[in-house]
Amino acid sequence: MSDFYIHVRFLVSVLFIVLGINGAALAEQVKIGVLSHRGDASTMRHWTPTAEYLTREIEGMDFSIVPLDFDEIDPEVEAGSVDFLLVNSGIYVVMEVKHRISRIATINNLVSEQSQNVFGGVIFTSVNNTHINSLEDVVGHSLMAVDQTSLGGYQMGWREMKKVGIDLQQDLASVSFGGIHDEVVNAVISGKVDVGTVRTGILDSMADEGLIDLTQIKIINQQHNENFQIILSTSLYPEWPFSKLQHTSEELAQRVAIALLQMSQLDPAAQWGDYAGWTVPLEYQPVHDLLKELSLAPYDQIKRFTLKDVFSRYYFSILIIGLLIVVLSAMTLFIYRLHRKLEESKHLLEQHHVQILDSVADGIYGVDLLGNSTFVNKAMEEITGWTGEEIIGLNQHEILHHTREDGSPNPPLECPVYKTFHENKARFVEDDLFWRKDGTSFPVEYSSNPVQDENGKTVGSVVVFRDISNKRKSEEAARQYQSELAHVARLSTMGEMASGLAHELNQPLTAIATNADASVRLLEQGSSISRVVEILEKIGIQARHAGEIIKHLRKFVRKEEPELSRININKLIDEVLLLVKAELARTGVKVTTELETELPEVIAQHIHIDQVLLNLIRNAIDSLSLVDKQQRKLTITTAVLDKEHLIIRVMDSGLGISEEVSRTLFTPFKTTKEHGMGLGLSLSQGIISAHKGELAVETTAPGNTVFSFTLPYSRGED
Ligand code: ADP
């Protein structure tokens, strides 16, 4: 029947050519490239009826078959010289990846009278081979397959064996290829090879044709599938697809797909093609997976690119990267070590820091901008009774500084520690009060310094404080001692002045006695009362004068408790001059006073200033008594020195002070006098500095000695 058909076709074609009617000239040419695996004649015979079927079914199109060898497929598809392609599933998958062809239908094959759109592979051995019963047993035996490119006749079986861990190249005694299926079957039956693999349907149809007896064959890894009733050893894969090339229009592809799907199994095209019709295109992913797993084209490149290739291609980059990694690693190691060393140094420094802080006897603590304590040293803990754990994080003012000495609350905003970081200015507070944990208080002096971060921003302050209880006590003792000493010195001065004072008192007393006698006489003579009254008044004046002197004397020798009072220095000078009046008279020293009339008052200890003035005046008299009588001049002046101080000067034109004496002038017990104590100037200096003034000496001209002292004056409101 087939030969007859070809002849008819041939005659019709000749007729068309003779009559000049060329179908191709009337209709659009559509070419179907078909894998010509059994020769071009066979391909044309099998598939031309299918092309004709499509020409018939699709109006205006003339389909023709272009047989393509294995080698021709890739270039022809690339060149786009065919519009559709009908090749086996393996080649289709490669073309799909390389040239973006797409399937539009899958063939329904006819195997042992069954319609199948999937197929698989069969792995088998001779029934006589008792050693091989499973896939694993194939190891060490010889295998024959159809062809290296055969999907069903080689690759499917290969994949199954790979699944159980068999490496076909390594683990088998040999792998050979028979070229055609029948050859493989015969080689196994004849015992030429141990194992064979062919596509499904081959064994069944050879048995149907009586070429083999299936009882001679043992199937390995036999699969049972309800929908696939013929002998099978592997997974199933889709049959040949009919596919369109990228340039072929979707519309034409659709029309072809519909025509193919509508083809009846009885259609001559199916009959000639030995197939049962067409079905919707199947999923070809299993074929992709198989090729990938076996690293076959188009997935062979991936595997072939070995590590060696990577090295040879990217040698320089790898070298640079390697070097970089080495350098970076070395640097990282170096930095890591440096970091560790820094950490250690930091730790050590912190330890030193703590040690230093803890070895200081003064209390030290840090304060943040909220006024909370940030750290404390040991001395702070010991002095206050608070531990670091208790106090860190708490408000330092509320803990240490909340109440004043008089019991009134100390407002936080007036706290010098707050002011330090608010105004960013260091402070020193000489006299303040801190509170211990046990509720007792102690006097302190402290400094508060702002602390800045690395950007110069103030972040708090550090307070260094000292308990000044002992300092206060010793100051008090020193004051007491000085007071005692001053008293002794006053007594000594009075001792020295006794004869002069006695003379000074003698005068008014003698005058009183004389006047009293005169009054008596006048009364006896019966003189007028007014005359007697006059004399009595004189007596009164003399008595008061004597009384004044005694009053001053008493005051001067009294052991006075330190007591401040407002003093008019001019008046005080007059009083002192009264005490030395006899001495002045005796030595013939002339006193001049230049006193500032508007002199402000000072707040001072009267007796102490008396003592200073008396010392200076008596020293001057002593020095003046050593020079000619005409030269003996003493000048006392008072004046306002500046906005805060007044100045008192005692100037004499005496012997002057030698350089040697001037070096030890204020040293206690240094005297040039036979009966001197050498205490006068050192006591005076102590007294004046206790009054926040200054005692100084200068020589204005040879023999002109000026002792001066300043005192802060009161502005009235104090
Ligand atoms: P004393 O008067 O007991 O010696 P002072 O301390 O008052 O003790 O004086 C110490 C010494 O200073 C005196 O011995 C004297 O040598 C010297 N001196 C003090 N005042 C004068 C003065 N105005 N002129 C010369 N020398 C003076």
Side-chain angles (χ1 to χ4, degrees), residues 261-275:
L261 292 175
Q262 284 174 344
M263 185 190 284
S264 150
Q265 189 176 345
L266 299 172
D267 193 281
Q271 301 274 320
W272 278 99
D274 260 351
Y275 59 87

Side-chain angles (χ1 to χ4, degrees), residues 619 623 652 656-657 661 665 670-673 676-678 680-681 707:
N619 277 345
S623 178
D652 69 76
I657 303 169
V661 173
L665 212 54
K670 289 274 177 192
T671 179
T672 57
K673 298 170 196 166
M677 284 176 72
L681 287 178
F707 277 89

Side-chain angles (χ1 to χ4, degrees), residues 69-79 94-95 98-99:
D69 284 348
F70 279 100
D71 303 341
E72 288 171 335
I73 295 171
D74 189 40
E76 294 296 320
V77 172
E78 190 173 10
V94 177
M95 293 301 115
K98 280 180 83 175
H99 303 301

Side-chain angles (χ1 to χ4, degrees), residues 433-670:
L433 194 80
F434 275 7
W435 294 85
R436 297 192 188 91
K437 190 184 174 186
D438 63 9
T440 57
S441 64
F442 58 100
V444 282
E445 64 179 22
Y446 61 90
S447 64
S448 178
N449 288 287
V451 177
Q452 275 133 8
D453 65 9
E454 57 276 13
N455 303 318
K457 205 178 133 213
T458 302
V459 291
S461 60
V462 170
V463 180
V464 181
F465 69 90
R466 183 173 293 177
D467 180 347
I468 53 167
S469 306
N470 289 337
K471 189 180 159 196
R472 281 248 183 110
K473 273 184 206 152
S474 55
E475 272 173 6
E476 183 53 38
R479 234 189 338 265
Q480 195 70 33
Y481 169 73
Q482 196 175 42
S483 172
E484 302 269 335
L485 207 59
H487 183 234
V488 170
R490 283 201 305 275
L491 289 178
S492 152
T493 307
M494 282 303 108
E496 287 167 26
M497 289 168 69
S499 66
L501 286 167
H503 172 74
E504 188 63 25
L505 275 173
N506 236 0
Q507 265 188 336
L509 291 175
T510 311
I512 288 167
T514 314
N515 283 326
D517 289 348
S519 304
V520 171
R521 267 196 318 276
L522 284 173
L523 282 173
E524 281 170 355
Q525 288 166 8
S527 290
S528 67
I529 289 291
S530 61
R531 178 85 180 107
V532 176
V533 168
E534 197 182 307
I535 295 174
L536 282 175
E537 274 172 357
K538 273 186 186 167
I539 290 174
I541 290 167
Q542 299 299 334
R544 273 194 292 277
H545 180 61
E548 267 308 277
I549 294 171
I550 290 167
K551 198 173 112 193
H552 276 112
L553 263 174
R554 275 193 59 209
K555 212 161 101 185
F556 201 65
V557 295
R558 212 168 48 208
K559 192 174 177 185
E560 260 196 3
E561 279 307 308
E563 193 184 292
L564 296 171
S565 59
R566 283 179 182 277
I567 301 170
N568 181 328
I569 293 290
N570 289 348
K571 219 171 126 195
L572 186 138
I573 290 169
D574 284 343
E575 287 167 6
V576 172
L577 282 176
L578 195 66
L579 289 175
V580 291
K581 202 172 164 192
E583 262 183 87
L584 289 167
R586 183 176 52 79
T587 51
V589 172
K590 286 217 171 75
V591 183
T592 317
T593 52
E594 290 166 19
L595 306 179
E596 166 73 57
T597 45
E598 298 288 308
L599 198 68
E601 288 182 326
V602 296
I603 294 178
Q605 287 191 45
H606 198 291
I607 191 71
H608 285 169
I609 308 299
D610 264 353
Q611 192 170 358
V612 173
L613 256 176
L614 195 62
N615 275 333
L616 299 183
I617 292 170
R618 292 194 68 240
N619 277 345
I621 295 172
D622 287 343
S623 178
L624 284 167
S625 59
L626 298 173
V627 297
D628 286 350
K629 277 214 166 165
Q630 298 88 331
Q631 221 184 297
R632 294 178 186 171
K633 279 179 197 148
L634 173 67
T635 311
I636 301 169
T637 67
T638 57
V640 173
L641 178 68
D642 56 35
K643 281 184 185 166
E644 291 176 9
H645 299 89
L646 47 82
I647 187 160
I648 299 103
R649 293 189 178 89
V650 178
M651 302 179 269
D652 69 76
S653 51
L655 209 58
I657 303 169
S658 71
E659 215 185 297
E660 194 196 338
V661 173
S662 72
R663 277 201 290 271
T664 57
L665 212 54
F666 297 100
T667 313
F669 308 110
K670 289 274 177 192

Side-chain angles (χ1 to χ4, degrees), residues 50-212:
T50 303
E52 285 170 351
Y53 168 81
L54 290 172
T55 305
R56 233 177 14 253
E57 292 295 316
I58 300 166
E59 210 177 313
M61 299 289 165
D62 184 20
F63 288 83
S64 61
I65 298 297
V66 179
L68 298 171
D69 284 348
F70 279 100
D71 303 341
E72 288 171 335
I73 295 171
D74 189 40
E76 294 296 320
V77 172
E78 190 173 10
S81 45
V82 293
D83 305 297
F84 291 93
L85 194 68
L86 182 58
V87 290
N88 73 30
S89 310
I91 297 171
Y92 163 72
V93 164
V94 177
M95 293 301 115
E96 187 186 38
V97 172
K98 280 180 83 175
H99 303 301
R100 303 249 167 265
I101 69 168
S102 43
R103 59 198 181 275
I104 59 172
T106 295
I107 198 165
N108 263 340
N109 229 341
L110 206 56
V111 184
S112 297
E113 301 306 318
Q114 285 180 38
S115 163
Q116 293 293 351
N117 57 9
V118 289
F119 73 115
V122 181
I123 305 164
F124 60 99
T125 184
S126 162
V127 76
N128 302 324
N129 196 331
T130 52
H131 303 294
I132 304 171
N133 297 304
S134 68
L135 274 179
E136 287 84 351
D137 298 336
V138 175
V139 174
H141 292 92
S142 55
L143 172 86
M144 184 180 276
V146 179
D147 188 272
Q148 238 168 348
T149 59
S150 171
L151 191 61
Y154 177 48
Q155 292 163 352
M156 291 184 194
W158 177 6
R159 191 187 188 193
E160 293 304 318
M161 285 187 248
K162 193 165 187 252
K163 271 189 205 164
V164 296
I166 299 170
D167 182 337
L168 231 53
Q169 274 72 39
Q170 306 268 322
D171 301 338
L172 262 59
S174 67
V175 177
S176 54
F177 299 96
I180 55 168
H181 290 84
D182 303 35
E183 179 62 34
V184 177
V185 178
N186 291 332
V188 172
I189 292 171
S190 67
K192 202 170 140 196
V193 293
D194 298 319
V195 183
T197 180
V198 291
R199 64 163 285 160
T200 47
I202 295 294
L203 292 181
D204 307 71
S205 52
M206 281 178 84
D208 286 350
E209 287 168 31
L211 294 174
I212 55 164

Side-chain angles (χ1 to χ4, degrees), residues 228-420:
F228 197 84
Q229 294 291 348
I230 56 176
I231 302 165
L232 174 72
S233 296
T234 69
S235 305
L236 287 167
Y237 298 84
E239 272 284 6
W240 287 29
F242 195 102
S243 44
K244 80 177 246 318
L245 268 69
Q246 216 180 355
H247 71 264
T248 310
S249 76
E250 287 297 333
E251 192 221 331
L252 176 62
Q254 257 178 30
R255 289 166 74 190
V256 170
I258 291 166
L260 288 174
L261 292 175
Q262 284 174 344
M263 185 190 284
S264 150
Q265 189 176 345
L266 299 172
D267 193 281
Q271 301 274 320
W272 278 99
D274 260 351
Y275 59 87
W278 299 86
T279 178
V280 286
L282 295 184
E283 177 57 64
Y284 282 77
Q285 189 57 40
V287 184
H288 280 284
D289 294 344
L290 176 140
L291 297 178
K292 254 186 222 171
E293 211 172 299
L294 301 180
S295 300
L296 296 170
Y299 302 107
D300 51 346
Q301 292 300 324
I302 303 161
K303 194 71 179 269
R304 256 184 241 152
F305 201 65
T306 62
L307 207 60
K308 207 171 146 197
D309 299 332
V310 174
F311 267 111
S312 58
R313 191 186 288 192
Y314 299 111
Y315 170 75
F316 190 67
S317 308
I318 289 171
L319 195 76
I320 297 285
I321 291 168
L323 272 174
L324 271 174
I325 290 171
V326 170
V327 170
L328 277 175
S329 307
M331 273 173 70
T332 309
L333 198 73
F334 176 72
I335 290 167
Y336 171 73
R337 285 197 177 154
L338 209 67
H339 180 76
R340 228 175 46 187
K341 268 191 180 168
L342 275 173
E343 282 287 315
E344 279 168 13
S345 306
K346 193 180 146 208
H347 185 67
L348 224 65
L349 269 175
E350 279 171 357
Q351 269 185 341
H352 283 170
H353 192 84
V354 171
Q355 273 171 6
I356 290 168
L357 282 180
D358 284 347
S359 65
V360 175
D362 291 344
I364 302 174
Y365 65 93
V367 185
D368 65 16
L369 291 178
L370 297 171
N372 296 333
S373 312
T374 51
F375 71 86
V376 303
N377 74 339
K378 236 187 193 121
M380 157 102 185
E381 292 181 324
E382 280 161 11
I383 297 170
T384 63
W386 292 97
T387 64
E389 276 174 18
E390 289 168 328
I391 206 170
I392 287 171
L394 297 185
N395 189 292
Q396 61 86 34
H397 182 82
E398 282 167 19
I399 281 192
L400 297 169
H401 211 197
H402 45 81
T403 309
R404 292 199 174 118
E405 197 165 8
D406 59 6
S408 63
N410 194 1
L413 288 179
E414 284 176 24
C415 172
V417 178
Y418 275 85
K419 285 185 175 171
T420 301

